[in-house]
Amino acid sequence: MSTLCSVIKFENLQDLRRLCHWGPIIALGVIAICSTMAMIDSVLWYWPLHTTGGSVNFIMLINWTVMILYNYFNAMFAGPGFVPRGWKPENPQDSMYLQYCKVCQAYKAPRSHHCRKCNRCVMKMDHHCPWINNCCGHQNHASFTLFLLLAPLGCTHAAFIFVMTMYTQLYNRLSFGWNTVKIDMSAARRDPPPIVPFGLAAFAATLFALGLALGTTIAVGMLFFIQIKIILRNKTSIESWIEEKAKDRIQYYQLDEVFVFPYDMGSKWKNLKQVFTWSGVPEGDGLEWPIREGCHQYSLTIEQLKQKADKRVRSVRYKVVEDYNGACCPLNRGVRTFFTSPCTEEPRIQLQKGELVLATRGLRYWLYGDKILDDSFIEEPSAAGSGPTMGTVEVCMCLPSADQH
């Protein structure tokens, strides 16, 4: 039987620079702290050499750490897969259904989008994840999802060890008086003495690791459920957004049509096998995809072209009335604007009085849209991962700096 997981591949040494980013530094730091403290505390609570249960517990901890790190690095370094530069469909007539990326000098294959961070068109792009400093797409979707599954499981195990260690250590040090409860955090004499002294520093470190483990379990666990939900429908986050916009477009114009997502195989098991395989290599080449009966290979890209044309009609144009310096969290725009700053990696762009912007969506105090660089044309935004091409730049703008025009 072929290997169960794909091998981590380094295309060149420059891939190692992905580690020099706040996302991987924080993620690996949390993994290191939780794993190290769990192993130390398991020695205090359940010495692995005395019982079979202790040995199994310690081996499980090591197993969680290895599997988490393997899938994390595989998702980071294997990458999502990129559309080859200069790619075009085999049938030249099919190019009319596709969008052209001027950055990559190639047509965007079905389900692909341009990522501004990676500066490439990504196969079956789901999103750009700052925690792996790479895109989640066709080739690493399985590894990324497994990481999202294993991290909460490992952290749940570690949190249980932290709780049991603090409970047993504090229980051995409690002395009850009539009026007070005295807790002695010093290393008390015991027979046999503790292998690792559990003092105030160890207690504080364990409590801190417990907070990290619980926070990771909740946050990453929620991301896992989001990912597995769209995988069972054979979609990506971007495609779910496109489908919602398709329904909104049909309802807005009261059209007599129904948008059918072309890549849903009609069975959750079949959809799951599109991402997870025994070989670790996803099905397909990332350029052509199996479609459900009655759909067109380019049904989704045709819908994107319709939405692009619809955006030109329905978008609201604003004229900038005050200069905006492009600050991520502007202090001079009020407290509410500061605390409602979007938690996204879309760039904030400097705006000058008199410039025009095209708002495609927005929050109460912020707008997403395009800065109009040339009135002669308006290209698609990059909020869903497709980067700016000719006449516009996707921006996140502070709302007080523009008035409707």
Side-chain angles (χ1 to χ4, degrees):
M1 185 176 66
S2 58
T3 181
L4 295 179
C5 296
S6 59
V7 180
I8 298 175
K9 298 178 181 179
F10 296 87
E11 293 183 0
N12 48 61
L13 293 178
Q14 291 184 350
D15 285 343
L16 293 175
R17 293 192 299 180
R18 293 190 182 277
L19 294 170
C20 302
H21 183 265
W22 62 266
I25 291 174
I26 294 176
L28 293 174
V30 171
I31 295 173
I33 292 173
C34 291
S35 299
T36 303
M37 289 305 303
M39 292 179 186
I40 293 174
D41 285 0
S42 66
V43 172
L44 283 170
W45 169 59
Y46 209 173
W47 176 240
L49 298 182
H50 286 172
T51 62
T52 303
S55 300
V56 172
N57 176 68
F58 198 78
I59 292 173
M60 283 297 296
L61 278 177
I62 298 176
N63 184 56
W64 289 127
T65 304
V66 171
M67 290 194 300
I68 289 170
L69 288 176
Y70 173 78
N71 284 283
Y72 179 82
F73 286 124
N74 202 23
M76 176 186 292
F77 293 117
F82 302 106
V83 177
R85 296 187 185 275
W87 180 85
K88 60 180 64 176
E90 293 183 1
N91 185 358
Q93 295 181 352
D94 291 341
S95 60
M96 63 182 296
Y97 303 120
L98 300 174
Q99 300 178 62
Y100 186 78
C101 178
K102 293 196 67 176
V103 178
C104 298
Q105 296 292 314
Y107 286 95
K108 296 180 183 178
R111 312 189 78 177
S112 68
H113 301 273
H114 186 89
C115 175
R116 187 191 308 108
K117 297 292 183 180
C118 299
N119 202 32
R120 291 290 300 275
C121 286
V122 178
M123 296 178 179
K124 192 190 172 187
M125 179 177 176
D126 186 87
H127 68 287
H128 184 92
C129 178
W131 304 110
I132 63 173
N133 195 21
N134 206 341
C135 277
C136 174
H138 173 58
Q139 294 183 2
N140 64 352
H141 204 173
S143 297
F144 180 78
T145 307
L146 286 174
F147 166 72
L148 297 182
L149 171 64
L150 295 170
L153 293 178
C155 286
T156 300
H157 186 187
F160 178 76
I161 293 175
F162 297 149
V163 172
M164 293 304 299
T165 301
M166 289 190 293
Y167 172 76
T168 54
Q169 292 297 315
L170 292 178
Y171 181 81
N172 292 332
R173 299 160 191 267
L174 284 174
S175 60
F176 295 90
W178 289 101
N179 299 320
T180 61
V181 177
K182 180 181 178 183
I183 301 178
D184 181 13
M185 297 304 298
S186 63
R189 283 186 174 276
R190 291 167 49 190
D191 190 21
I195 298 174
V196 180
F198 193 81
L200 181 60
F203 176 79
T206 301
L207 192 62
F208 177 69
L210 176 62
L212 287 180
L214 293 177
T216 302
T217 300
I218 296 173
V220 180
M222 291 176 62
L223 293 177
F224 168 74
F225 281 110
I226 293 173
Q227 282 296 314
I228 200 65
K229 181 179 178 181
I230 61 177
I231 287 176
L232 291 176
R233 298 175 181 177
N234 202 16
K235 298 178 183 177
T236 65
S237 300
I238 295 176
E239 290 168 350
S240 297
W241 180 60
I242 294 173
E243 186 178 29
E244 289 298 320
K245 289 178 64 179
K247 295 177 181 178
D248 177 70
R249 180 184 62 82
I250 294 172
Q251 183 179 7
Y252 181 83
Y253 292 106
Q254 298 181 351
L255 302 176
D256 187 19
E257 63 178 85
V258 177
F259 176 75
V260 179
F261 186 73
Y263 307 114
D264 188 346
M265 298 291 98
S267 166
K268 292 182 178 180
W269 175 246
K270 291 181 180 179
N271 291 336
L272 193 69
K273 290 194 298 182
Q274 292 289 313
V275 177
F276 296 98
T277 61
W278 288 109
S279 64
V281 179
E283 292 190 5
D285 59 0
L287 301 175
E288 294 185 2
W289 306 91
I291 57 175
R292 65 187 303 168
E293 187 177 352
C295 291
H296 191 272
Q297 180 66 233
Y298 301 107
S299 293
L300 190 66
T301 56
I302 293 173
E303 174 59 31
Q304 288 179 265
L305 293 173
K306 291 180 180 179
Q307 293 178 10
K308 177 181 174 182
D310 180 49
K311 186 196 74 172
R312 297 173 178 173
V313 177
R314 297 175 58 185
S315 298
V316 181
R317 194 162 69 165
Y318 289 84
K319 184 176 181 180
V320 179
V321 296
E322 294 181 33
D323 291 345
Y324 168 52
N325 60 6
C328 180
C329 301
L331 292 172
N332 60 341
R333 297 297 176 184
V335 177
R336 292 183 179 179
T337 303
F338 176 80
F339 284 105
T340 57
S341 298
C343 298
T344 66
E345 290 196 312
E346 274 92 6
R348 278 69 163 171
I349 195 170
Q350 292 185 359
L351 298 175
Q352 296 181 354
K353 184 178 179 180
E355 292 181 328
L356 297 177
V357 294
L358 191 69
T360 57
R361 55 192 174 99
L363 305 174
R364 185 173 182 181
Y365 297 101
W366 291 81
L367 291 175
Y368 291 86
D370 306 321
K371 179 180 177 182
I372 302 176
L373 303 180
D374 189 342
D375 286 332
S376 62
F377 46 75
I378 297 175
E379 285 296 310
E380 64 174 317
S382 58
S386 48
T389 52
M390 294 186 291
T392 58
V393 178
E394 176 70 8
V395 294
C396 183
M397 299 165 287
C398 183
L399 187 57
S401 64
D403 281 349
Q404 187 169 346
H405 177 65

